Structure formats: structure tokens, C-alpha cells
Amino acid sequence: MILSLLLLALIGGAALWLVLEPLRRAAPEDPDAPERTRLAAERDGLYTELNTLEDEARRPGLERRAALTLRALDGLPPASRARNPGRSRTLALAGVGVAALLTVAGALTFIPRWQLASLDAGEAKKVQAVLKLPALKETAQQTEKGADYLAWGRAAFDSANYDQAVSAYGNALKTDPRQPEALRRLGILLLTRGEQTGQQISAEDAQRAALLIRTAAQLAPEEPESQLLLGFALSRFGQDQDALTALERYRTLDPAGREADEVITAVRARLNQSDPALSLYAGSCASCHGAAGAGGIGPSLRESGLSRAALRSVTVNGKGAMPAYPKLTDAELKLLLDLMEKWQREG
């Protein structure tokens, strides 16, 4: 902290000297004055608009324009004006003070936004988490509150500081052992520790990780991440059908989520190789009813109350938006009906 203050004072002194030195002597009229005035007015207008903005969707565009305006101002040659030395020095000192305040405010508000504007959503989230991490860690260690430990753990997890995430979530569980987020994230970190360290995870640790993730899913079944991490863990243990059910549930809870796509594709491929009914279903039905029959564009087959005869009629003849499949052989139709009835029993 002291070193930072000294460095800031040194920079401020250098800036002050650079501002005051040209004022000791007269200079010719600034040829860039009209352009400088125009850019300064545009900058001030953008600042005003940003400070009073109500439509947040316009903020990134305005911030980019402000950044370009400041860049254009910085690109102009330094202005030199002949003024009264005493008055000029006073104005220069005041200008340096205002500039310092604007610089600090910009560093805390606009500059991070401009930097993040060039990143995708995932990268921007990671950068923001890294920036928040030290303060969140300090707060959690001071207050020892569960909510503060969770905030620290979340920032550490999102920024891939997994050692800190383990520490933060472990302390959160000491305050409340029924924290779904802490349970499932500790579980997945334990399960994937081998990928981070290059060491093989033991069977005991694998079972412990699975228990943490399952417990979190039971405590918070409606949270998308619970189903996502449960599906991932189940796939690691070779329980592909249960994994697919959990991952399809994740997609239902978070339709915009894409984190399960690769795992779902891999699980489907494994299932389709060993189960002809699933292979047939995947080719004709999964795009509407979900890979595990849990629903999607079309209704859930697991929640269906239709009889076998009704299922057969709808499959062969179609109904509403459901297309007909009259060319299915008797053997193929039997496979599909058996699969749908099985899902009805499972729910």
C-alpha cells in the first residue's frame, strides 16, 4: 500500500512538472484547438449521458465511443498557450487535481468496462472474479460468515483459483453443512482433482465426491448447476442413463445453458451403441422429446399417462405438431413402445 502511494505521488509530481513547465514561456497559438474543443465537448456529453443512462443496453456502445474519443484526444499534440504565468499556474494546478479525480473515477468505473467489452462473457466473468477475489477473501476471513465465505468461494471458483475455492467452501460448510453450492462444487473439485494435479484420484475420494454432489442435488434439485454437476459425475462413474436424465433436466432448468452439450453427445453415443431402442429413439424422437424422454420442444414422455395403444396410435398416425411415422416396422415400433412405457414407470 505504501509503495503504491509513493508511486502515485511520483507520477503526480511528474505530471505536475510536465503541465507547469510549458507555462514558463509563451507559445504560439494551438493549431489543434478546434478539434480539441470538439472532442472535449463530445467527451463531456458522453460522460453526462453515461451518468444519466436508463437503458443499460446502450451502455457498451456509449462506453466504446467515449474510449475512442479519449484516445483521439490523447493522440493530439500537447497544447501550448501564452497566458499570464500566475493565473496559468493556478489553472494548471486545478486542472491536475480534476484530472486526478477523473482518472481515479475512470479507473474504477469506465476503464474496466471498456477492457471487458472486448472479451466474451466467460472471459469477462473470470476477469471480474479475479479482481474481486482479494477483497472477498479478506472480508470472509474477518467476518467468518457463511455468506461471505460463499462469495469468496464463488469468485475463486469462477476465476479457476481452485485452492482458494476449496478453502472458502470448506469454511462455508463449517457454518452450515447443508450449503448446496459448497457441497457440489467441493465434490466436483475433488472428482476432477486428478486433472488439475496429474495424480490419480483414489476410490475413496471418488465416492466421497459423488456423495457430496448427490447430496447437493437432493438439497437443491431445481438449481441447474446441481443437475449439471450430478450428470457429469454420473457419466464419470459409467451411469450413462442416469447421467443423461440429469443433464436433460439441467437443459430444462436452463434452456440457454450449453455446458452439458459435449457430455450429452458422448453419453448418447455410448448408449446408442448398446441399446437399439435408444438408437432408434435418438434418430427419430430425441430432437423434440429430449434425449432421455424428459421433454423439450415436445412434451415429456416420462410424465405421459397415455396407454400403450394410445402411444402406438400417436406414433404411427401423428397428432397435432407430432409428425406420423407410418413406415416403422413392427419390431421398431415395439422397441419404441417398450422404451416409452419404461420411462413412464420411472417417471
Side-chain angles (χ1 to χ4, degrees), residues 198-321:
Q199 299 176 351
Q200 184 69 28
I201 183 174
S202 67
E204 293 78 8
D205 282 347
Q207 292 300 324
R208 190 178 298 115
L211 178 60
L212 290 171
I213 295 170
R214 284 183 181 274
T215 302
Q218 291 170 357
L219 291 172
E222 299 304 309
E223 292 183 8
E225 190 179 74
S226 285
Q227 299 300 326
L228 174 65
L229 297 188
L230 176 61
F232 179 76
L234 290 171
S235 71
R236 296 283 289 255
F237 286 99
Q239 301 176 36
D240 285 342
Q241 189 58 62
D242 291 337
L244 197 56
T245 299
L247 295 173
E248 287 293 336
R249 177 64 178 158
Y250 158 73
R251 276 186 168 176
T252 301
L253 294 171
D254 183 10
R258 304 262 61 92
E259 295 183 58
D261 289 359
E262 291 185 6
V263 181
I264 288 176
T265 300
V267 170
R268 282 179 179 172
R270 291 197 298 267
L271 287 173
N272 293 344
Q273 289 174 358
S274 59
D275 190 325
L278 285 174
S279 179
L280 179 62
Y281 174 85
S284 303
C285 317
S287 59
C288 290
H289 296 284
I297 300 174
S300 170
L301 299 175
R302 292 178 175 273
E303 299 176 0
S304 171
L306 295 178
S307 66
R308 187 180 181 93
L311 288 172
R312 185 184 190 284
S313 175
V314 172
T315 303
V316 174
N317 302 313
K319 183 178 181 180

Side-chain angles (χ1 to χ4, degrees), residues 15-245:
L16 182 61
W17 181 84
L18 290 171
V19 170
L20 293 178
E21 178 62 20
L23 298 177
R24 296 180 180 178
R25 53 186 180 276
E29 183 178 353
D30 181 10
D32 298 304
E35 178 65 9
R36 194 184 311 279
T37 301
R38 183 188 71 78
L39 290 172
E42 183 176 349
R43 175 202 61 197
D44 294 342
L46 288 168
Y47 279 3
T48 300
E49 192 169 358
L50 283 166
N51 289 331
T52 59
L53 187 63
E54 294 183 356
D55 183 4
E56 288 297 321
R58 298 182 55 225
R59 183 176 293 278
L62 291 174
E63 289 175 348
R64 289 191 184 92
R65 287 174 56 194
L68 293 173
T69 301
L70 286 179
R71 187 181 301 170
L73 274 170
D74 291 341
L76 292 175
S80 299
R81 296 183 177 86
R83 297 183 181 276
N84 177 275
R87 182 170 179 271
S88 297
R89 285 181 174 83
T90 302
L91 291 175
L93 287 171
V96 169
V98 172
L101 290 175
L102 290 176
T103 300
V104 173
L108 296 175
T109 55
F110 299 112
I111 292 176
R113 288 180 179 270
W114 295 336
Q115 292 172 339
L116 295 176
S118 63
L119 305 176
D120 63 35
E123 292 173 333
K125 183 179 179 182
K126 186 172 181 178
V127 170
Q128 289 173 325
V130 170
L131 295 174
K132 295 177 182 177
L133 195 54
L136 292 174
K137 178 181 178 180
E138 182 178 358
T139 299
Q141 290 176 336
Q142 289 177 350
T143 66
E144 297 184 346
K145 292 182 179 179
D148 292 330
Y149 279 127
L150 283 175
W152 172 26
R154 194 172 299 122
F157 189 92
D158 291 342
S159 60
N161 285 275
Y162 296 130
D163 288 340
Q164 288 195 42
V166 169
S167 178
Y169 282 132
N171 281 296
L173 289 176
K174 291 178 182 178
T175 66
D176 181 2
R178 294 173 62 83
Q179 290 278 1
E181 178 183 325
L183 286 168
R184 64 184 176 241
R185 290 191 170 186
L186 277 177
I188 205 65
L189 288 174
L190 181 59
L191 187 61
T192 59
R193 185 174 60 186
E195 298 172 4
Q196 307 298 327
T197 64
Q199 299 176 351
Q200 184 69 28
I201 183 174
S202 67
E204 293 78 8
D205 282 347
Q207 292 300 324
R208 190 178 298 115
L211 178 60
L212 290 171
I213 295 170
R214 284 183 181 274
T215 302
Q218 291 170 357
L219 291 172
E222 299 304 309
E223 292 183 8
E225 190 179 74
S226 285
Q227 299 300 326
L228 174 65
L229 297 188
L230 176 61
F232 179 76
L234 290 171
S235 71
R236 296 283 289 255
F237 286 99
Q239 301 176 36
D240 285 342
Q241 189 58 62
D242 291 337
L244 197 56
T245 299

